[in-house]
């Protein structure tokens, strides 16, 4: 797949987040990787590319085959943009902190960008948080929370948010599970998804992997198995952008499509109120084997685990999973693309999603003096 560059000049305001009002900010983020805090030799690859688009490239570990950066999960992951992709969220400045709720999670909270046109009736303010869950020796979960706040004097209607992801495996991106396809594990070890095996609007969750291939999935190139959830059966469901071909397809023939845009038609947002979009990504990592067959067996075990997790409801499968989904979000009713069946637990003041909600109450007068212009450079993908 050819990669192209696209530039747009956008005006953003680096909003004052009232940092003194919250204990959550500890370390300024330098725009590069964030290590696991348990000393396991792993890291999350995140980037804002010298002031360009915020992107998540994957979870990595020296103990596993996908030890990056050459074996990325994504070329561009979880990019926040508008429907037409004329604006990208940059995360020009951010801070990160280790959660004090006993989870050991790392929370990256980006600055609010104001006056963003999401094709609605008025501009809105947008803030992104990434919460990195260290799940154990071979799994790593990332939760993305996007807060869309209406600081206008009237309700905002018609706003549409897009989350864009481009997989690193390119034309060998294998769709191994979705609700409409079911499990494609039977394709292993000699096959991959077929031309008809693509995502539909009903597939809010899915699993990708890369089981075979001389180059694509040999021991020297082991992308993680990835379970992704872009919405649950909620009022606001993710739908596929028609800007790109449907994700998946003929991975067996090295002709799959690996870019997808997930659209969220936001509900009417009352004046002074906000809504959240939450996405969840879990990487299932595996080590290099002695040869292709051994590596394939290790990868297949992780694909089976990922598909089983999906078939059992993922984060909505039990209250423990929902606790990871809801951690630190003070008012989960603001999340419009998920429904839950368990009560959210009481959370400490250091939950950064609470800071996100506090930050948007900063007065317009305070924000007005902080506007700066940034040049946003964005790679786009020719299909």
């Amino acid at each position: 797949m050819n990669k192209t560059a696209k530039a747009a000049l956008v005006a953003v305001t680096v909003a004052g987040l009232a940092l003194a009002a919250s204990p959550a900010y500890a370390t300024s983020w330098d725009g590069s990787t964030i290590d696991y805090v348990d000393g396991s030799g792993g890291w999350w690859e995140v980037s804002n590319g010298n002031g360009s688009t915020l992107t998540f490239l994957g979870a990595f570990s020296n103990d596993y085959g996908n030890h990056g950066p050459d074996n990325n999960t994504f070329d561009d992951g979880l990019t926040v943009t508008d429907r037409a992709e004329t604006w990208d969220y940059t995360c020009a400045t951010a801070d990160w902190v280790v959660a004090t709720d006993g989870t050991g999670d790392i929370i990256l909270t980006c600055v609010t960008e104001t006056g963003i046109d999401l094709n609605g009736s008025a501009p809105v303010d947008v803030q992104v948080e990434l919460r990195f869950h260290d799940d154990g020796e071979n799994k790593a979960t990332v939760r993305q929370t996007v807060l869309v706040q209406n600081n206008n004097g009237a309700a905002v209607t018609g706003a549409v948010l897009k989350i864009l992801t481009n997989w690193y495996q390119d034309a060998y991106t294998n769709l191994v599970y979705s609700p409409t396809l079911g499990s494609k594990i039977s394709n292993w070890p000699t096959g991959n998804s077929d031309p008809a095996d693509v995502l539909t609007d009903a597939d809010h969750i899915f699993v990708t992997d890369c089981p075979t291939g001389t180059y694509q999935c040999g021991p020297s190139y082991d992308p993680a198995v990835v379970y992704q959830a872009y919405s649950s059966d909620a009022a606001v469901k993710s739908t596929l952008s028609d800007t790109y071909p449907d994700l998946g397809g003929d991975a067996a023939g090295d002709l799959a499509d690996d870019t997808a845009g997930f659209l969220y038609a936001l509900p009417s947002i009352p004046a002074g109120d906000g809504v959240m979009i939450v996405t969840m990504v879990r990487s299932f990592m595996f080590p290099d084997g002695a040869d292709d067959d051994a590596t394939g067996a290790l990868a297949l075990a992780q694909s089976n685990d990922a598909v089983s997790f999906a078939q059992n409801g993922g984060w909505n499968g039990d209250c423990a999973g929902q606790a990871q989904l809801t951690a630190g979000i003070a008012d989960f009713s603001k999340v419009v693309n998920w429904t839950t069946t368990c009560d959210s637990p009481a959370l400490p003041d250091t939950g950064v999603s609470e800071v996100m909600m506090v930050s948007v109450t900063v007065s317009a007068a305070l924000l007005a003096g902080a506007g700066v212009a940034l040049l946003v450079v964005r790679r786009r993908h020719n299909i």
Side-chain angles (χ1 to χ4, degrees), residues 364-377:
L366 177 63
L367 297 174
V372 297
L374 294 178
L375 182 65
V376 177
V377 179

Side-chain angles (χ1 to χ4, degrees), residues 116-193:
I116 304 303
D117 181 6
L118 291 182
N119 312 110
S121 58
V124 293
D125 299 341
V126 181
Q127 187 177 31
V128 174
E129 170 195 286
L130 294 173
R131 184 172 181 126
F132 303 97
H133 305 266
D134 187 0
D135 296 317
E137 67 173 343
N138 62 359
K139 295 188 292 294
T141 298
V142 175
R143 185 190 71 192
Q144 179 189 58
T145 305
V146 184
L147 171 65
V148 179
Q149 179 74 18
N150 175 14
N151 286 323
N152 299 284
V156 171
T157 59
V160 178
L161 183 80
K162 179 188 284 188
I163 295 177
L164 176 66
T165 293
N166 174 41
W167 282 256
Y168 187 74
Q169 295 97 300
D170 292 337
Y172 227 83
T173 301
N174 184 56
L175 185 60
V176 71
Y177 173 83
S178 79
T180 57
L181 293 174
S183 173
K184 307 295 291 186
I185 287 288
S186 61
N187 284 343
W188 281 72
T190 58
N192 286 267
S193 53

Side-chain angles (χ1 to χ4, degrees), residues 143 276 326-335 344-348 351-355 357-358:
R143 185 190 71 192
M276 290 182 178
T326 61
I329 298 178
D331 183 1
F332 202 79
S333 69
K334 299 291 185 183
V335 178
S344 298
L347 301 167
V352 178
S353 286
E354 298 180 25
V355 177
M357 295 305 295
V358 169

